[in-house]
Amino acid sequence: MSQLTSRRGLLFGTAAVSAGALLTACTSNESTENGGADDEKPAANDRPAADDKPGKQVTIGFAGPQADHGWLNAINENAEGRAKKYSDVTLEITEGSNDTAAQIGQIETLINKKVDVLVILPADGKALTQVGLKAMRAGIPVINLDRIFNTPQAYRCWIGGDNYGMGFNAGSYIGEKLKDKSDARVVELAGIDNLELTKQRTQGFDDALKNYPNIKKVARQAADFTVESGQAKMSQLLQAQSKIDAVWNHDDDQGVGALRAIEQAGRDEFLMVGGAGALSAFQAIKQDNGVLKATVLYPPTMAASAIDLARALGQSKGIGGLAEYEIPSSITLYSAVVDKDNVDQYMSTGFR
C-alpha cells in the first residue's frame, strides 16, 4: 500500500472495523414528532444505508491467496463468517492460490458467473491489475482488499492496512518506553524484504525513531513470515548484539520463532513489540511474564468489512454515519498498539 493511498484513505479504528457499526445506519425516513425537525437534517439523511435488515439478494465473489499463514487464514474466516451473518448474501469463494495465473483464472470464472460484486485480495496486486480492470469493465464492482492494484480503475473501493503507520506506531511505542534511557539500542526483525509492505513498515519505524535521538537501531534482519525463519534470524540478531533494549518484529507468526530463540538464548533484558495481532501474541501480552509487551495491529477483520462494503454496493446503499450517498473509494485501517492495558478489548479478534 502506498503512502499516498494511506493519506487519501478514510481512517477507521480497528474496533469499529470488525463491528457492524461501520455499516449500520439510520434508514428510516419517518418524520420526528416535533414538527419541522426534519428540515434541520442534512439532505443525505434520507438516502438508504446498509444495515443488518435483509434487503436485495447479493452474490459476492471472493478470491484470495492460499491461506498458508495465520493472518491469511483469518482473512478467509472473517469473510466467510461475515457473509453468513446476512441472509441476503451468497458468497462464492474460490480455493486460495499463490499462483497468479491460477488466481486470475478463478476470478475470470467468477466474472463469467456474473456475480454482483467481487472482493479480491490479490496474491500480487500488480500482476492481477488486468483482471480487476476486466471485472470493472464488465460492470462488476471490485472491492480490492489490502494488496492494491496498480490503478484505481481496477477497483471501486480499496480497503486495507496501513503498513507505514504500523511501523510508525511500533517505533513510537518503543520510543516512549525508552525515552529516558541513554544510548538505547533497538533491533528490527523485518518480514520479506522484496515486498513493498515490508519497506513501508521499516520506513515508518525509522521515521518514528527519529523523534528519539537517544535511540539507535543497531541491527536489522529480514525473515519470511514463518516460525522457522523468525527463530533463525532472531538467533542471528541475539548472537551479534550483546546489548539490546527493544526488538520490533513485523509479524506475530514469525514472532513465535523469535520468542523461541530468545528463550533458548536466555535473554530477557529487552522488550519486544510484535505485529499483526495473533491470538498467541495477545495471550503472551496478557500473561506479562516474558519480553513480548505489545503488538501493532494489521487487522484481518478488514475482510469482514470488505464483505460489508460489497453488500452495500450490491444493494446500492451507502455507509451509515457518512453524509455521502456512496461508499468511499478508499479506506485505510488504523494500526492500533495492543498492550496489557487494552489487550482484553482485542482478544476476540486475535487470529490463530
Side-chain angles (χ1 to χ4, degrees):
M1 181 195 64
S2 70
Q3 293 180 34
L4 175 61
T5 301
S6 174
R7 292 188 183 111
R8 78 184 181 198
L10 182 65
L11 291 173
F12 283 93
T14 54
V17 170
S18 62
L22 178 62
L23 296 176
T24 302
C26 298
T27 56
S28 173
N29 295 329
E30 295 177 3
S31 299
T32 59
E33 292 181 1
N34 297 326
D38 281 347
D39 295 337
E40 300 173 4
K41 294 181 180 179
N45 271 12
D46 63 357
R47 58 109 170 97
D51 59 17
D52 292 342
K53 297 176 182 176
K56 175 187 173 184
Q57 290 292 319
V58 178
T59 298
I60 300 172
F62 181 87
Q66 183 179 348
D68 55 2
H69 181 278
W71 187 86
L72 288 171
N73 185 60
I75 283 284
N76 290 343
E77 290 179 349
N78 271 274
E80 292 182 70
R82 196 61 152 197
K84 289 177 181 177
K85 173 184 175 182
Y86 300 118
S87 61
D88 51 20
V89 168
T90 298
L91 187 67
E92 294 270 355
I93 189 166
T94 66
E95 182 178 349
S97 176
N98 291 328
D99 182 271
T100 55
Q103 194 178 24
I104 288 169
Q106 292 168 349
I107 295 168
E108 288 179 336
T109 297
L110 292 171
I111 293 171
N112 292 334
K113 286 184 175 181
K114 301 187 185 324
V115 296
D116 297 307
V117 188
L118 272 169
V119 175
I120 303 174
L121 196 169
D124 182 320
K126 179 180 179 181
L128 269 77
T129 296
Q130 287 302 314
V131 78
L133 285 167
K134 183 176 181 179
M136 291 288 288
R137 289 166 181 167
I140 301 174
V142 174
I143 304 295
N144 181 191
L145 183 56
D146 198 48
R147 299 173 185 173
I148 195 166
F149 293 135
N150 271 11
T151 171
Q153 296 179 40
Y155 58 85
R156 167 58 184 81
C157 174
W158 174 87
I159 178 170
D162 183 358
N163 288 292
Y164 178 88
M166 187 182 182
F168 188 87
N169 289 349
S172 296
Y173 182 87
I174 288 173
E176 286 300 302
K177 294 296 182 182
L178 299 180
K179 64 182 179 181
D180 297 324
K181 187 177 183 63
S182 61
D183 301 321
R185 298 165 61 87
V186 173
V187 301
E188 179 183 7
L189 184 62
I192 300 172
D193 249 348
N194 64 355
L195 294 180
E196 186 63 25
L197 65 88
T198 298
K199 298 172 186 177
Q200 290 166 357
R201 291 177 185 183
T202 292
Q203 185 64 59
F205 186 64
D206 290 346
D207 286 352
L209 293 184
K210 291 175 184 177
N211 296 319
Y212 303 92
N214 63 305
I215 300 175
K216 181 180 180 181
K217 187 171 79 172
V218 295
R220 180 183 184 276
Q221 285 279 0
D224 297 322
F225 292 147
T226 64
V227 173
E228 294 75 17
S229 67
Q231 184 170 355
K233 297 298 184 179
M234 191 68 229
S235 292
Q236 293 176 22
L237 286 169
L238 293 169
Q239 290 168 11
Q241 304 297 326
S242 59
K243 179 181 182 296
I244 298 173
D245 295 298
V247 176
W248 183 44
N249 161 52
H250 286 208
D251 175 73
D252 286 333
D253 271 12
Q254 70 184 26
V256 173
L259 288 170
R260 286 178 187 169
I262 292 166
E263 183 177 359
Q264 289 172 359
R267 300 279 293 270
D268 62 1
E269 77 275 13
F270 52 81
L271 68 93
M272 177 172 161
V273 175
L279 180 61
S280 61
F282 291 162
Q283 291 169 337
I285 291 166
K286 184 176 177 64
Q287 291 169 3
D288 195 25
N289 58 4
V291 298
L292 185 61
K293 301 302 182 184
T295 190
V296 187
L297 296 187
Y298 200 80
T301 49
M302 65 178 72
S305 295
I307 296 298
D308 288 340
L309 290 162
R311 177 175 176 261
L313 266 180
Q315 295 179 344
S316 301
K317 294 180 178 179
I319 295 179
L322 296 182
E324 289 71 30
Y325 285 81
E326 301 288 346
I327 69 169
S329 62
S330 182
I331 300 175
T332 303
L333 307 183
Y334 183 67
S335 291
V337 176
V338 177
D339 62 10
K340 65 179 181 180
D341 293 332
N342 63 353
V343 67
D344 287 337
Q345 175 185 346
Y346 292 96
M347 190 68 75
S348 64
T349 70
F351 61 85
R352 298 179 184 275

